[in-house]
Amino acid sequence: MDFENPEQLCLQGSLILADPSLKDSGFERSVLLLTRHRHDDGAVGYILNKPSGRKVSDLVKIDSMRELGDLPVFVGGPVGMDQLTFASMAWRETSSELDYDTHLSSEEALHRLREGFHVRAFVGYSGWAEGQLESELQQRSWITHKPIPRIASERTDEAMWGELLSEMGPYYRLLAQTPERPELN
């Protein structure tokens, strides 16, 4: 990754995986989708592999949109934890790209769900100020990864972090096998 010209670095639409050395409890072993990134404007993303254990119907009443009520709610990050938001995702086979849209209203989310998009509910989001993410990348707190088809599927859980790292090669496979608390070994 070229940090000589950080203003040219754009990771919007990419995944970032927390390095095992990142011990921030909110981001430890996290996989995030960066939905916005500009060096001069900061970055925004959502943690994809931290289910909250709740469903949308546990948090809000959605009588006219029951289909959304069964959606699992994920912890998107530490910012705005009092806000529930929806995102839609689909994998474009023709271009091998992840198509996503965030900050959907419940009506928009229901429409996307009926169109065949995978819809995800989040409480909170992750945000970085101008230059902050670039600095964290230089400190090797994050590992970048291209989006892959399974990101737009139902099965994204805590195991995703280790699975994605393991697929990146031998060095990353070792990182994925790092114990969560090495000091207890």
Side-chain angles (χ1 to χ4, degrees):
M1 188 162 296
D2 179 22
F3 291 107
E4 295 299 317
N5 298 310
E7 60 277 349
Q8 294 177 4
L9 179 66
C10 181
L11 294 174
Q12 184 167 315
S14 296
L15 302 177
I16 57 172
L17 287 69
D19 186 85
S21 64
L22 184 60
K23 296 300 181 190
D24 179 311
S25 62
F27 292 113
E28 194 170 19
R29 296 182 180 245
S30 291
V31 177
L32 286 87
L33 171 64
L34 291 177
T35 58
R36 193 182 85 214
H37 178 240
R38 283 190 23 198
H39 172 72
D40 62 347
D41 193 33
V44 172
Y46 293 89
I47 301 172
L48 298 176
N49 65 325
K50 302 284 182 177
S52 70
R54 304 180 89 178
K55 292 191 250 180
V56 170
S57 62
D58 295 335
L59 302 178
V60 294
K61 294 217 181 272
I62 306 183
D63 294 330
S64 63
M65 298 177 212
R66 285 197 174 98
E67 295 163 81
L68 296 177
D70 288 334
L71 291 177
V73 177
F74 287 77
V75 177
V79 182
M81 292 289 292
D82 59 340
Q83 300 172 2
L84 176 68
T85 188
F86 295 98
S88 67
M89 297 178 218
W91 185 258
R92 290 187 193 163
E93 290 294 332
T94 54
S95 60
S96 295
E97 291 181 337
L98 181 66
D99 183 16
Y100 62 89
D101 200 5
T102 61
H103 296 87
L104 300 175
S105 68
S106 53
E107 293 85 12
E108 292 169 321
L110 183 60
H111 181 71
R112 292 287 174 90
L113 189 64
R114 290 177 177 164
E115 286 182 328
F117 283 79
H118 172 67
V119 174
R120 178 77 60 95
F122 293 100
V123 172
Y125 65 94
S126 302
W128 293 264
E130 177 183 335
Q132 182 182 2
L133 180 59
E134 292 80 2
S135 175
E136 291 178 13
L137 286 164
Q138 284 180 313
Q139 295 168 10
R140 300 189 191 275
S141 297
W142 299 102
I143 300 163
T144 60
H145 195 292
K146 290 182 180 181
I148 57 173
R150 76 168 169 239
I151 297 302
S153 72
E154 292 287 333
R155 194 194 152 295
T156 53
D157 56 22
E158 291 95 345
M160 176 192 277
W161 178 83
E163 291 169 1
L164 288 175
L165 277 178
S166 292
E167 293 168 5
M168 292 175 67
Y171 170 74
Y172 294 102
R173 193 171 305 113
L174 285 172
L175 286 182
Q177 295 170 359
T178 303
E180 285 188 49
R181 300 283 177 246
E183 68 273 9
L184 299 178
N185 288 340

